[in-house]
Amino acid sequence: MKNVEIYEKLAKKYDTATKVVSFGIEEFWRKIFVKEIKKYISNGTLLDVASATGDMAKAMDFEKMYLLDPSIEMNKIAKEKLQNKNVKFIEDFAESAKVPEQVDIITAFMAVRNFDNLSEGIKNLDKYLKNGGYFAIVELTKSDSILFKLSMFYMSKIVPIIGGIITGEYQTYKKFDKMIKNITDDEIINQLDGYEIIKHKRLFPPIASIIIARKNG
Ligand SMILES: C[S@@+](CC[C@H](N)C(=O)[O-])C[C@H]1O[C@@H](n2cnc3c(N)ncnc32)[C@H](O)[C@@H]1O
């Protein structure tokens, strides 16, 4: 099953369900992420990949923004949220999308684990990033910490119950822990060939990392 089919079903209740099941931690991480990025670049053209309901674009607020997501339902919600912004939607997969121009930064917040093929997704997106541009990622990544193991237990056993109550999609949430493919920071960093890693930081709780890379050239 393509991951996007799961998100199509959840789109309408996605924002509420995410806030509740993550206890607001995702939004806390987003704030830290935006602050980190803005140390390097504060405006220009942005491509937000796996843009879902548009919260990343809303938080970044760059002068020109492309939102890339294959989910029709997610894009509908993002369009409503970003009515007054200079945004263009690309309804496609990271692995195959065509972007009309090269951008200054690509943001991928809780995004790359959803790619059906991590390597193809990053390789395709790289074509649309200017030399000297930034690839900024936040992802849930594996570690040996007890907190990571507990959070995986929470994801597989508790999230389906809470998410199911909020969205009515218990079975869909049951598939969630399989989507969290337990990727490591190194697996992501290894795909960033031709980039300098300028920020690599474990977030708290230590179940996710920020990786910011600058494209050489
Ligand atoms: C966890 S949400 C992303 C959260 C979002 N970036 C944010 O800032 O809140 C995952 C999104 O990935 C999208 N997705 C699934 N497969 C994808 C792919 N191959 N390429 C790009 N996006 C994909 C889904 O449609 C969904 O909207």
Side-chain angles (χ1 to χ4, degrees):
M1 180 193 219
K2 287 215 180 243
N3 291 332
V4 62
E5 291 169 29
I6 292 182
Y7 287 106
E8 284 293 42
K9 288 189 187 164
L10 298 179
K12 285 196 178 76
K13 303 251 174 84
Y14 177 80
D15 284 347
T16 312
T18 305
K19 264 186 208 110
V20 175
V21 300
S22 81
F23 301 107
I25 288 169
E26 267 209 29
E27 283 319 295
F28 168 63
W29 286 344
R30 192 190 303 282
K31 282 196 184 112
I32 296 174
F33 187 42
V34 171
K35 209 169 150 195
E36 286 294 346
I37 291 172
K38 293 204 171 178
K39 287 180 188 166
Y40 304 102
I41 177 168
S42 56
N43 216 336
T45 304
L46 172 134
L47 168 63
D48 182 44
V49 61
S51 46
T53 62
D55 281 351
M56 202 58 224
K58 199 173 159 200
M60 289 293 288
D61 200 19
F62 271 31
E63 66 194 27
K64 187 172 186 187
M65 300 189 279
Y66 291 98
L67 279 77
L68 192 169
D69 198 296
S71 164
I72 298 165
E73 295 300 320
M74 287 287 194
N75 287 335
K76 270 188 204 160
I77 296 166
K79 269 176 202 160
E80 274 171 33
K81 234 184 236 181
L82 297 163
Q83 272 172 16
N84 306 320
K85 303 285 174 197
N86 184 9
V87 290
K88 293 199 169 66
F89 287 85
I90 303 169
E91 211 155 85
D92 206 338
F93 297 91
E95 296 88 334
S96 49
K98 289 187 177 56
V99 184
E101 62 178 311
Q102 285 204 309
V103 301
D104 300 299
I105 176 163
I106 297 173
T107 49
F109 182 85
M110 299 290 168
V112 299
R113 69 164 185 274
N114 296 289
F115 296 177
D116 295 306
N117 186 315
L118 177 67
S119 161
E120 276 179 28
I122 290 185
K123 207 177 280 171
N124 183 47
L125 296 171
D126 170 69
K127 293 196 288 201
Y128 302 107
L129 182 63
K130 292 177 188 166
N131 288 339
Y134 298 89
F135 206 132
I137 295 169
V138 167
E139 197 48 85
L140 290 172
T141 52
K142 193 159 66 175
S143 79
D144 294 330
S145 82
I146 188 77
L147 268 174
F148 181 80
K149 285 177 188 135
L150 281 174
S151 72
M152 282 300 115
F153 175 82
Y154 173 74
M155 289 281 193
S156 61
K157 306 288 180 211
I158 317 287
V159 165
I161 298 171
I162 307 175
I165 291 168
I166 298 171
T167 63
E169 291 286 348
Y170 175 80
Q171 289 305 334
T172 307
Y173 270 94
K174 278 292 276 181
K175 294 174 193 147
F176 241 68
D177 64 320
K178 290 186 189 64
M179 283 178 64
I180 298 172
K181 294 170 195 144
N182 287 346
I183 48 176
T184 62
D185 288 11
D186 283 349
E187 277 167 56
I188 298 172
I189 288 169
N190 287 342
Q191 302 300 328
L192 294 165
D193 193 24
Y195 286 76
E196 182 194 351
I197 305 299
I198 55 171
K199 185 100 214 172
H200 181 196
K201 158 171 155 173
R202 202 75 179 140
L203 288 161
F204 186 84
I207 54 174
S209 291
I210 292 184
I211 298 166
I212 303 180
R214 189 190 290 120
K215 188 170 172 177
N216 296 333

